[in-house]
Amino acid sequence: VNGQEFSFLIDTGSPVNIIDELTYATLTPRPILQTCKTAFYPYKSGTPLQVLGQFNAKVVNSKNTAIEADFVVINGRAELLLSHKTAVTLGVIKILSPVETIRPQYPSTKVEEQLKQELKNIFPKLFSDKMGCINSQTVKLQIDANTQ
């Protein structure tokens, strides 16, 4: 990050790159923090992270692939996280079978817009701007034992 080497945990569930304030303090030159207006919640937590700000920096992986990425600086000491988007863009991980949404090629009708609004009213937590998790369901994963 900006010419300095750090170890990041790749978190494919994280929408942002996270760096703690102690690591941020070691950056030279230290990037200027911009205000971050978005609240970010740790996995299984109802309390948002204490965000000090955000900055943009050049990121280079071990194969010298370079990109620009945004980092959110949080209060205190924490694991450095590399987001899904940054990890894929850097080529650190590769999504082999992406799931894509098929959108119709025509504009939505008034009935469809009304249905969308009704669903938002019925299920406000599903359509909020916050990340969440479902903790009331049991999921069984079928994993092929021969897959490495």
Side-chain angles (χ1 to χ4, degrees), residues 2 17 56-59 66-71 85-86 89-90:
N2 279 356
N17 302 305
N56 184 274
K58 180 180 178 183
V59 182
I67 65 167
E68 294 285 321
D70 292 325
F71 289 84
K85 179 181 177 183
T86 302
T89 305
L90 280 172

Side-chain angles (χ1 to χ4, degrees), residues 25-148:
T26 68
L27 290 171
T28 52
R30 191 169 309 131
I32 297 171
L33 288 180
Q34 305 296 321
T35 302
C36 180
K37 296 179 183 177
T38 305
F40 296 104
Y41 293 80
Y43 181 64
K44 291 189 173 187
S45 175
T47 306
L49 295 170
Q50 292 181 349
V51 175
L52 301 177
Q54 63 187 13
F55 67 92
N56 184 274
K58 180 180 178 183
V59 182
V60 181
N61 68 10
S62 60
K63 295 182 180 180
N64 287 325
T65 302
I67 65 167
E68 294 285 321
D70 292 325
F71 289 84
V72 173
V73 180
I74 62 169
N75 188 36
R77 190 79 161 126
E79 186 83 47
L80 308 184
L81 299 181
L82 200 63
S83 72
H84 172 268
K85 179 181 177 183
T86 302
V88 169
T89 305
L90 280 172
V92 177
I93 62 170
K94 185 175 182 180
I95 305 303
L96 299 177
S97 300
V99 177
E100 297 179 14
T101 303
I102 299 172
R103 296 195 179 267
Q105 297 300 318
Y106 55 88
S108 60
T109 65
K110 187 174 183 180
V111 173
E112 288 172 328
E113 291 302 321
Q114 288 174 337
L115 177 59
K116 286 180 190 177
Q117 191 56 50
E118 285 178 33
L119 290 172
K120 286 180 181 181
N121 293 339
I122 295 169
F123 305 105
K125 288 184 180 180
L126 292 177
F127 296 100
S128 74
D129 292 335
K130 294 181 182 176
M131 287 189 61
C133 62
I134 299 172
N135 56 15
S136 60
Q137 299 293 317
T138 302
V139 177
K140 182 178 179 183
L141 300 177
Q142 297 177 356
I143 301 172
D144 183 350
N146 297 320
T147 303
Q148 293 185 0

